[in-house]
Amino acid sequence: MTDLTRIPPTYDHRLVVVSIVIAIFASYAAIDLAGRVTASRGRARLAWLTGGALAMGSGVWAMHYTGMLAFRLPIPVYYHLPTVAVSLLAAVLASFVALYVVSRERVTPLHVAAGSLLMGAGIATMHYTGMASMRLAAMHYYERGLWILSIFVGHRDSVCRPAAPLLFTGREAQLAA
């Protein structure tokens, strides 16, 4: 597709910083909530797991959309709200999986691998659903190689996410077992 005209973007660096700050706070909340989920049983565990997934998922989602708002095009960009809501749901479900995996009494490398695969798929779904929610007088085009690379990088990063709370909650020996 060499006959496409690229629209030159700019970035609002203030919003990029806000996006990073949101990511830091969402990460802190996820680590704290993973410990609370692990320490709870029964209905309290389900409540912490659900609340944690909502907090972590909405944090990931807010960071992503703030980053999207930082990306400025010289044409008006709108968002289709039902599609935006689907992307939020994907982030919350991915976070639920991640918190469930790290809050088990015994976490094996297989649990982390499966959880990271599901979380990576959830994050990719959130990202590309969010991109699909954009409404603008232009056409999206993804270069196949970069698209595949983005999925790979997202999965690679998600391998670290489920294990990270274990390192901060005193459960790192459990992961090695």
Side-chain angles (χ1 to χ4, degrees):
M1 296 212 141
T2 58
D3 60 337
L4 296 178
T5 302
R6 292 184 185 265
I7 300 173
T10 59
Y11 293 90
D12 181 336
H13 297 288
R14 295 168 301 176
L15 285 177
V16 171
V17 170
V18 170
S19 178
I20 292 167
V21 169
I22 290 170
I24 290 168
F25 281 113
S27 297
Y28 174 78
I31 290 168
D32 183 58
L33 291 166
R36 293 175 190 272
V37 172
T38 302
S40 302
R41 298 288 173 254
R43 286 186 178 165
R45 175 176 157 70
L46 182 60
W48 278 113
L49 189 57
T50 302
L54 286 168
M56 182 176 162
S58 62
V60 167
W61 177 85
M63 178 267 312
H64 181 261
Y65 271 89
T66 303
M68 286 176 66
L69 291 173
F71 182 77
R72 300 291 170 100
L73 294 172
I75 58 175
V77 177
Y78 303 98
Y79 294 92
H80 183 247
L81 292 181
T83 310
V84 169
V86 171
S87 73
L88 174 60
L89 181 63
V92 169
L93 291 176
S95 298
F96 188 93
V97 168
L99 286 174
Y100 177 78
V101 166
V102 300
S103 67
R104 297 170 55 107
E105 280 198 34
R106 185 166 183 275
V107 180
T108 67
L110 181 61
H111 293 139
V112 172
S116 69
L117 185 63
L118 291 171
M119 185 171 182
I123 296 298
T125 300
M126 183 266 317
H127 172 76
Y128 285 105
T129 303
M131 297 300 288
S133 74
M134 294 174 74
R135 300 296 185 259
L136 61 157
M139 184 179 86
H140 286 82
Y141 172 73
Y142 298 110
E143 293 182 27
R144 186 178 310 227
L146 290 176
W147 181 77
I148 291 169
L149 179 64
S150 75
I151 300 294
F152 173 77
V153 168
H155 172 68
R156 185 213 59 210
D157 290 350
S158 71
V159 168
C160 299
R161 283 187 191 111
L166 297 175
L167 301 175
F168 296 102
T169 57
R171 298 178 61 209
E172 59 275 349
Q174 192 179 59
L175 182 60

